[in-house]
Amino acid sequence: MTKVVRSPAAWQRLRASALRGKSVGFVPTMGALHAGHLSLLRRSKRENGVTVASIFVNPTQFNDKKDLEKYPRPLAQDLALLNSAGADYLFLPDFRAMYPDGYRYKVTENDLSRALCGAHRPGHFDGVLTVVMKLLNIIGADRAYFGEKDYQQYLLVKGMAEAFFLRAKIIPCPTVREKSGLALSSRNALLPPKLKPLAPELRRALVESSSARAAAKTLARKGFKVDYVEDRLGRRFAAAYLGTVRLIDNVKI
Ligand code: AMP
């Protein structure tokens, strides 16, 4: 059974007593779990004595209030999935527990966080880095697992862990996709059935186009509203809207 812990202090007591000396693997999420999240959990279970997931829909990383409101929160279903995946603990804090300071303090990165998604979502990565710093400090994990679906996020978190000498090793995990090539994402559930068949075109355009520009053109022609397509660090990154749902993806080039 996955045990639920809601308060940072309760978790820290547990970490210092029953879990003392054990290797702890950590999978932070915003819930609405799918096979992508479960692949991170499986890897953590292979590499650690204890695996803890967290679910926290972090308001400070949402620059769009509507996006935050409509973010799916199927908690009962998530708990059932965590149970069947064999997660030992779920850390499930609320906003007050995570932000006793009311977000007066934050972690900022001044380079990569301004590019790609950061250029289109002001403050997004400040919110991400701040909440991940808090979570890593609370959980006391030895290893923390992040998906390459959010490759920019993975790079920023890894850089933060190194810059601040955090204890956790940040481990990247490959993107899990549908057969169609569409990267699994909690936001896919929000796609209207009429638009869903178009969604796999995002990855196809990234893989098959001769340049980022050509990919952006193809996507616009197919009905996406493109935020960006950009080649960087040996990868091709993109974010684009289908209707009101923002999808992101990246592939190696
Ligand atoms: P989220 O709940 O969307 O914040 O994601 C929590 C973690 O799961 C992040 O490290 C994501 O990169 C990772 N993740 C989300 N979707 C996928 C996927 N399709 N494949 C692999 N990892 C994923």
Side-chain angles (χ1 to χ4, degrees), residues 27-40 54 56 61 71 145-151 153-154 171 173-178 182-188:
V27 179
T29 81
M30 298 206 298
L33 302 180
H34 51 65
H37 299 115
L38 298 185
S39 75
L40 273 53
S54 65
F56 180 62
Q61 73 189 67
Y71 201 86
Y145 298 84
F146 287 83
E148 292 183 347
K149 206 259 300 171
D150 304 281
Y151 202 82
Q153 168 176 282
Y154 154 68
I171 296 175
C173 302
T175 303
V176 177
R177 299 178 179 279
E178 287 184 356
L182 174 65
L184 296 183
S185 162
S186 306
R187 286 193 174 85
N188 292 353

Side-chain angles (χ1 to χ4, degrees), residues 9-21 24 138-140:
W11 173 265
Q12 286 175 314
R13 276 197 299 276
L14 198 66
R15 182 75 181 96
S17 54
L19 302 182
R20 193 178 168 163
V24 170
I138 294 166
I139 299 297

Side-chain angles (χ1 to χ4, degrees), residues 84-157:
S84 60
D88 300 295
Y89 293 94
L90 169 63
F91 182 57
L92 185 64
D94 63 14
F95 181 80
R96 273 168 51 151
M98 289 302 288
Y99 290 92
D101 61 323
Y103 199 37
R104 283 195 301 128
Y105 291 88
K106 61 176 79 164
V107 181
T108 299
E109 191 272 359
N110 278 319
D111 183 20
L112 179 60
S113 75
R114 310 281 187 229
L116 304 172
C117 277
H120 295 266
R121 302 184 68 188
H124 170 65
F125 285 116
D126 287 359
V128 168
L129 292 177
T130 303
V131 82
V132 171
M133 173 73 103
K134 286 169 185 268
L135 287 167
L136 290 175
N137 281 335
I138 294 166
I139 299 297
D142 298 282
R143 297 179 191 82
Y145 298 84
F146 287 83
E148 292 183 347
K149 206 259 300 171
D150 304 281
Y151 202 82
Q152 185 179 12
Q153 168 176 282
Y154 154 68
L155 287 177
L156 285 165
V157 168

